[in-house]
Structure formats: C-alpha cells, structure tokens
Amino acid sequence: MPQLIAGNWKMHCLAAEAIALAKGVAAGAQGITADLVVCPTALHIAAVAQALQGSPVAVGGQDCHQSKQGAHTGDIAAPMLRDAGAAWVILGHSERRHNHGETDELVREKTLAAVAAGLTPIVCVGETADQRAGGQETDIVGWQLAGSLPKPFSGVVAYEPVWAIGTGKTATDEDVATMHAFIREELVRQFGDAGAIIRILYGGSVKAANAASLLAVPHVGGALVGGASLNAQEFLAIARAAQAG
Ligand code: PEP
C-alpha cells in the first residue's frame, strides 16, 4: 500500500489562501506515488475540493461530530463533510483532546460516525512529554488505541507524540521505530490480520529535511504534517520522500 501524506492546515488560511495552497499542491502532485490528502478548515472544504478536481489530491476534515445531525450549535456532522467534498477526517488530534476535552470514547463515537458517512478516519494517538518522561508512553498509546478505535476499524492511525507537535522537536527514528512496532502489535492483537495492514502515520514536526529517514522506519505508513503542509513546495518534498509501497 502506498504511504499516505496528510496535511493538517489547522486554523490557518483565508479562503483565497487555501485555494492557492491547494492549487500549489495539485500542480506538483503528478508522479508522486504516495496518497495525498489536505485538511483545511471545514469552511473551505468545498472550495478546496473544487480547486483539486481532476488532481490526485483528496480533501479531509479536521474533526466531526459523533451524531449525524441534530441540535449541536456550531458543530459539523460527518455527512456534511462528505457532502462538501471530503473523503477523509482527522479525529482525536491532541489539540482536540486537550483544548476540547475529547476522550477516547468520544473519539471512538466520532470514528463510527465518520465511517458511517463514508469518510476514512485518521485517528490520532500520542503521549505528552510528562508521560514519556514517566516511562508511560506505550501504556498511554495502548489505552488510546483500545479506547478510540471501534471494532472493526477501517481507517488510519496517526502516532503523534504531543511534545513533537508544532515544537520543531522530532521523535528520533529509534523512538518512532519502537512506538510503531508497539502500535502494529496492538493493532494485530485487537484486529487480527486486518491490523497488519492498517497504515500508521507518524506526525510531529515532519519537514522535507527529516521526512526521508522518518518515512523509511518500519511500520511507518506515511506522515501527518502540520506546519510544513502550509507550504506547497515543502509538503510536496515530504510527499516525494514517501515510499511507493
Ligand atoms: C499536527 O498537528 O498534526 C502536526 C503534526 O503538526 P506539526 O507538523 O506542525 O508538528
């Protein structure tokens, strides 16, 4: 399976900037063997999807509600993301877990809603700096996997150590190798054969300069990219470093 390179644009870009960024990614995407996804703010999904029409770059949301509709002021349902042109959705990002108190159980419900709407979820897990300092990183990630992923699970997992997100600190290749091997084991334990082929992304200060070595680590199935995805050339350089699979 090709690696997946997903850009999380977070709360960046006005509409014209998002469209220009999407067109910049699409313009350089031909010949890249990785699967490519960009995740703008939900407001811009339709415009970005239109700008990407005819290109191999897909669009994703950054969150969805667990209900398919209802009285939930300000929230966005998974079928709405799908209707706007999204095929993917990031769920359980640490910024959602920390800023909005999202629990594993809520992430699991959102994941079910996403799959029911025809979206492929990218479910994020990862430990904080304190948890790693306390030697708890695998326990934390194991609990998050057990609590956040519904059975069966059809989607992607992203390992994003919280201390590496937006900090410029990247996990070492050895840290990534250890954690990805652990996550693979857990996925196989939870899902049997299906767990052996779930893509496991790494996320946390991935940039063109470190992408090739991170993407070559065993069990790394791609990257979830924040800051560096806001520059089309940098994002494309990461994608070119990806493995064809
Ligand atoms: C992210 O937020 O998913 C992320 C990985 O951010 P950054 O690449 O900026 O560390």
PDB file of all heavy atoms in Angstrom, residues 8 10 93 95 160 164-167 203-206 224-228, ligand 1:
ATOM      1  N   ASN A   8      -2.388  18.803   7.690  1.00  0.00           N
ATOM      2  CA  ASN A   8      -3.374  19.352   8.618  1.00  0.00           C
ATOM      3  C   ASN A   8      -3.171  20.862   8.658  1.00  0.00           C
ATOM      4  O   ASN A   8      -2.215  21.346   9.264  1.00  0.00           O
ATOM      5  CB  ASN A   8      -3.155  18.725  10.004  1.00  0.00           C
ATOM      6  CG  ASN A   8      -4.080  19.313  11.057  1.00  0.00           C
ATOM      7  OD1 ASN A   8      -4.973  20.100  10.747  1.00  0.00           O
ATOM      8  ND2 ASN A   8      -3.866  18.919  12.303  1.00  0.00           N
ATOM      9  N   LYS A  10      -4.998  23.024  10.043  1.00  0.00           N
ATOM     10  CA  LYS A  10      -5.470  23.596  11.319  1.00  0.00           C
ATOM     11  C   LYS A  10      -6.286  24.866  11.058  1.00  0.00           C
ATOM     12  O   LYS A  10      -7.016  24.930  10.090  1.00  0.00           O
ATOM     13  CB  LYS A  10      -4.274  23.838  12.258  1.00  0.00           C
ATOM     14  CG  LYS A  10      -3.416  22.589  12.439  1.00  0.00           C
ATOM     15  CD  LYS A  10      -2.471  22.696  13.582  1.00  0.00           C
ATOM     16  CE  LYS A  10      -1.623  21.441  13.645  1.00  0.00           C
ATOM     17  NZ  LYS A  10      -0.762  21.379  14.809  1.00  0.00           N
ATOM     18  N   HIS A  93      -7.243  14.413  17.334  1.00  0.00           N
ATOM     19  CA  HIS A  93      -5.967  15.139  17.344  1.00  0.00           C
ATOM     20  C   HIS A  93      -5.717  15.636  18.772  1.00  0.00           C
ATOM     21  O   HIS A  93      -6.659  15.987  19.482  1.00  0.00           O
ATOM     22  CB  HIS A  93      -6.031  16.314  16.363  1.00  0.00           C
ATOM     23  CG  HIS A  93      -4.704  16.956  16.143  1.00  0.00           C
ATOM     24  ND1 HIS A  93      -4.153  17.839  17.035  1.00  0.00           N
ATOM     25  CD2 HIS A  93      -3.801  16.831  15.129  1.00  0.00           C
ATOM     26  CE1 HIS A  93      -2.966  18.232  16.593  1.00  0.00           C
ATOM     27  NE2 HIS A  93      -2.725  17.627  15.438  1.00  0.00           N
ATOM     28  N   GLU A  95      -4.755  18.344  19.874  1.00  0.00           N
ATOM     29  CA  GLU A  95      -5.303  19.691  20.140  1.00  0.00           C
ATOM     30  C   GLU A  95      -6.800  19.611  20.449  1.00  0.00           C
ATOM     31  O   GLU A  95      -7.318  20.396  21.233  1.00  0.00           O
ATOM     32  CB  GLU A  95      -4.994  20.619  18.949  1.00  0.00           C
ATOM     33  CG  GLU A  95      -3.508  20.969  18.933  1.00  0.00           C
ATOM     34  CD  GLU A  95      -2.934  21.350  17.592  1.00  0.00           C
ATOM     35  OE1 GLU A  95      -3.709  21.586  16.634  1.00  0.00           O
ATOM     36  OE2 GLU A  95      -1.690  21.396  17.489  1.00  0.00           O
ATOM     37  N   GLU A 160       1.234  10.611  17.076  1.00  0.00           N
ATOM     38  CA  GLU A 160       1.719  11.983  17.164  1.00  0.00           C
ATOM     39  C   GLU A 160       2.108  12.284  18.614  1.00  0.00           C
ATOM     40  O   GLU A 160       1.240  12.646  19.426  1.00  0.00           O
ATOM     41  CB  GLU A 160       0.629  12.959  16.736  1.00  0.00           C
ATOM     42  CG  GLU A 160       0.182  12.793  15.310  1.00  0.00           C
ATOM     43  CD  GLU A 160      -0.269  14.118  14.724  1.00  0.00           C
ATOM     44  OE1 GLU A 160      -1.184  14.734  15.290  1.00  0.00           O
ATOM     45  OE2 GLU A 160       0.318  14.544  13.731  1.00  0.00           O
ATOM     46  N   ALA A 164       6.088  16.674  20.241  1.00  0.00           N
ATOM     47  CA  ALA A 164       6.743  16.910  18.954  1.00  0.00           C
ATOM     48  C   ALA A 164       5.867  17.731  18.007  1.00  0.00           C
ATOM     49  O   ALA A 164       6.299  18.088  16.915  1.00  0.00           O
ATOM     50  CB  ALA A 164       7.095  15.571  18.298  1.00  0.00           C
ATOM     51  N   ILE A 165       4.636  18.047  18.443  1.00  0.00           N
ATOM     52  CA  ILE A 165       3.714  18.743  17.541  1.00  0.00           C
ATOM     53  C   ILE A 165       3.948  20.246  17.610  1.00  0.00           C
ATOM     54  O   ILE A 165       3.805  20.854  18.669  1.00  0.00           O
ATOM     55  CB  ILE A 165       2.251  18.413  17.897  1.00  0.00           C
ATOM     56  CG1 ILE A 165       1.991  16.932  17.647  1.00  0.00           C
ATOM     57  CG2 ILE A 165       1.296  19.266  17.092  1.00  0.00           C
ATOM     58  CD1 ILE A 165       0.591  16.496  17.966  1.00  0.00           C
ATOM     59  N   GLY A 166       4.325  20.807  16.471  1.00  0.00           N
ATOM     60  CA  GLY A 166       4.494  22.255  16.372  1.00  0.00           C
ATOM     61  C   GLY A 166       5.650  22.797  17.197  1.00  0.00           C
ATOM     62  O   GLY A 166       5.747  24.000  17.418  1.00  0.00           O
ATOM     63  N   THR A 167       6.532  21.916  17.658  1.00  0.00           N
ATOM     64  CA  THR A 167       7.617  22.354  18.544  1.00  0.00           C
ATOM     65  C   THR A 167       8.964  22.362  17.829  1.00  0.00           C
ATOM     66  O   THR A 167       9.932  22.876  18.361  1.00  0.00           O
ATOM     67  CB  THR A 167       7.752  21.384  19.744  1.00  0.00           C
ATOM     68  OG1 THR A 167       8.006  20.066  19.218  1.00  0.00           O
ATOM     69  CG2 THR A 167       6.494  21.361  20.585  1.00  0.00           C
ATOM     70  N   GLY A 203       3.427  11.687  13.046  1.00  0.00           N
ATOM     71  CA  GLY A 203       3.247  13.143  12.974  1.00  0.00           C
ATOM     72  C   GLY A 203       3.967  13.824  14.114  1.00  0.00           C
ATOM     73  O   GLY A 203       3.976  13.322  15.250  1.00  0.00           O
ATOM     74  N   GLY A 204       4.551  14.965  13.820  1.00  0.00           N
ATOM     75  CA  GLY A 204       5.271  15.738  14.834  1.00  0.00           C
ATOM     76  C   GLY A 204       6.500  16.358  14.210  1.00  0.00           C
ATOM     77  O   GLY A 204       7.526  15.700  14.086  1.00  0.00           O
ATOM     78  N   SER A 205       6.331  17.615  13.745  1.00  0.00           N
ATOM     79  CA  SER A 205       7.446  18.383  13.166  1.00  0.00           C
ATOM     80  C   SER A 205       8.117  17.671  11.988  1.00  0.00           C
ATOM     81  O   SER A 205       9.338  17.742  11.826  1.00  0.00           O
ATOM     82  CB  SER A 205       8.469  18.746  14.251  1.00  0.00           C
ATOM     83  OG  SER A 205       7.852  19.542  15.249  1.00  0.00           O
ATOM     84  N   VAL A 206       7.296  16.992  11.171  1.00  0.00           N
ATOM     85  CA  VAL A 206       7.849  16.401   9.936  1.00  0.00           C
ATOM     86  C   VAL A 206       8.075  17.540   8.948  1.00  0.00           C
ATOM     87  O   VAL A 206       7.232  18.426   8.783  1.00  0.00           O
ATOM     88  CB  VAL A 206       6.881  15.363   9.330  1.00  0.00           C
ATOM     89  CG1 VAL A 206       7.433  14.837   7.999  1.00  0.00           C
ATOM     90  CG2 VAL A 206       6.656  14.208  10.302  1.00  0.00           C
ATOM     91  N   LEU A 224       1.560  12.615   9.044  1.00  0.00           N
ATOM     92  CA  LEU A 224       0.564  13.665   9.257  1.00  0.00           C
ATOM     93  C   LEU A 224       1.373  14.927   9.526  1.00  0.00           C
ATOM     94  O   LEU A 224       2.165  14.970  10.470  1.00  0.00           O
ATOM     95  CB  LEU A 224      -0.357  13.312  10.430  1.00  0.00           C
ATOM     96  CG  LEU A 224      -1.476  14.306  10.763  1.00  0.00           C
ATOM     97  CD1 LEU A 224      -2.323  14.660   9.543  1.00  0.00           C
ATOM     98  CD2 LEU A 224      -2.384  13.736  11.852  1.00  0.00           C
ATOM     99  N   VAL A 225       1.189  15.919   8.674  1.00  0.00           N
ATOM    100  CA  VAL A 225       2.078  17.084   8.651  1.00  0.00           C
ATOM    101  C   VAL A 225       1.288  18.336   8.997  1.00  0.00           C
ATOM    102  O   VAL A 225       0.270  18.623   8.356  1.00  0.00           O
ATOM    103  CB  VAL A 225       2.691  17.238   7.237  1.00  0.00           C
ATOM    104  CG1 VAL A 225       3.714  18.367   7.224  1.00  0.00           C
ATOM    105  CG2 VAL A 225       3.311  15.927   6.755  1.00  0.00           C
ATOM    106  N   GLY A 226       1.728  19.069  10.004  1.00  0.00           N
ATOM    107  CA  GLY A 226       1.059  20.318  10.365  1.00  0.00           C
ATOM    108  C   GLY A 226       1.725  21.493   9.676  1.00  0.00           C
ATOM    109  O   GLY A 226       1.482  21.772   8.501  1.00  0.00           O
ATOM    110  N   GLY A 227       2.606  22.186  10.390  1.00  0.00           N
ATOM    111  CA  GLY A 227       3.207  23.432   9.900  1.00  0.00           C
ATOM    112  C   GLY A 227       3.765  23.337   8.484  1.00  0.00           C
ATOM    113  O   GLY A 227       3.522  24.232   7.660  1.00  0.00           O
ATOM    114  N   ALA A 228       4.476  22.271   8.190  1.00  0.00           N
ATOM    115  CA  ALA A 228       5.126  22.175   6.875  1.00  0.00           C
ATOM    116  C   ALA A 228       4.132  21.965   5.732  1.00  0.00           C
ATOM    117  O   ALA A 228       4.483  22.120   4.566  1.00  0.00           O
ATOM    118  CB  ALA A 228       6.161  21.045   6.887  1.00  0.00           C
TER     119      ALA A 228
HETATM  120  C1  PEP B   1      -0.079  18.029  13.690  1.00  0.00           C
HETATM  121  O1  PEP B   1      -0.597  18.932  14.298  1.00  0.00           O
HETATM  122  O2  PEP B   1      -0.756  17.067  13.321  1.00  0.00           O
HETATM  123  C2  PEP B   1       1.352  18.122  13.423  1.00  0.00           C
HETATM  124  C3  PEP B   1       1.991  17.020  13.202  1.00  0.00           C
HETATM  125  O3  PEP B   1       1.912  19.372  13.475  1.00  0.00           O
HETATM  126  P1  PEP B   1       3.434  19.772  13.130  1.00  0.00           P
HETATM  127  O4  PEP B   1       3.817  19.037  11.870  1.00  0.00           O
HETATM  128  O5  PEP B   1       3.406  21.258  12.941  1.00  0.00           O
HETATM  129  O6  PEP B   1       4.266  19.335  14.288  1.00  0.00           O
END
